[in-house]
Amino acid sequence: MTKIKCFYISLLFLGIGIQQSYSQTYKFRTSGVSVLEKNENGKWGKWSDLSLVNIMVSLDTDKNRLVVYSRNIQLYQIVVYQPESESENDLVYSFTCKDNVGIDCTVSIITRKKQQNRKQLYITYSDHVIVYNIFSM
């Protein structure tokens, strides 16, 4: 009977260990933010001036969410992990998400290869885009 208990306890810890190894949390800090909005004619305007901001961003693949810890916390529930895309200039990881109000958006983490691997976080809605300059913690 004790051998069976040991076997099940071993399986339990093995399962927990495997689950932990596949989930990851990525932490970033922001250094600036800019916003692009559509005007009343439905055309994209100009990017706002870059505002300096120092806030934390967390991507938790175990919980399928991305959190921007701004004054009003922005929570994005990841619905679909889109395929990674890579070009000569950029490496892009995108996620189809729902924000904390339930509105659909796309969140992308882009590494600008020709800009010393500068990273940016894009949050794209149908009528506006928020971009944060980010760096890994």
Side-chain angles (χ1 to χ4, degrees):
M1 190 72 152
T2 56
K3 286 185 180 180
I4 293 175
K5 275 186 181 178
C6 287
F7 176 74
Y8 284 119
I9 290 172
S10 297
L11 279 178
L12 175 67
F13 284 113
L14 180 64
I16 290 170
I18 289 172
Q19 181 181 1
Q20 295 278 335
S21 67
Y22 287 111
S23 64
Q24 294 213 2
T25 301
Y26 302 90
K27 302 238 185 242
F28 303 96
R29 289 294 279 172
T30 66
S31 60
V33 64
S34 184
V35 177
L36 175 67
E37 295 179 304
K38 282 188 177 177
N39 61 26
E40 43 294 331
N41 297 330
K43 295 189 180 195
W44 291 105
K46 294 183 179 181
W47 285 101
S48 67
D49 290 337
L50 186 71
S51 297
L52 301 179
V53 293
N54 180 9
I55 56 178
M56 193 175 90
V57 175
S58 173
L59 170 61
D60 189 333
T61 59
D62 185 38
K63 295 180 182 176
N64 295 317
R65 69 179 188 185
L66 183 129
V67 182
V68 179
Y69 292 94
S70 55
R71 182 175 294 143
N72 296 324
I73 294 178
Q74 303 167 56
L75 172 64
Y76 301 95
Q77 192 65 40
I78 300 170
V79 178
V80 176
Y81 289 81
Q82 298 177 10
E84 166 189 323
S85 68
E86 187 168 6
S87 69
E88 184 179 314
N89 298 321
D90 299 322
L91 175 61
V92 181
Y93 296 96
S94 292
F95 316 95
T96 303
C97 297
K98 287 201 177 285
D99 67 11
N100 32 342
V101 184
I103 299 173
D104 293 331
C105 61
T106 300
V107 175
S108 301
I109 298 174
I110 301 175
T111 302
R112 306 291 183 184
K113 293 184 199 177
K114 293 187 175 181
Q115 297 177 19
Q116 299 174 334
N117 290 324
R118 180 171 67 107
K119 291 183 181 4
Q120 293 183 302
L121 173 68
Y122 280 80
I123 303 167
T124 305
Y125 289 89
S126 60
D127 62 346
H128 68 283
V129 180
I130 305 166
V131 63
Y132 290 97
N133 289 328
I134 60 173
F135 55 93
S136 299
M137 291 179 57

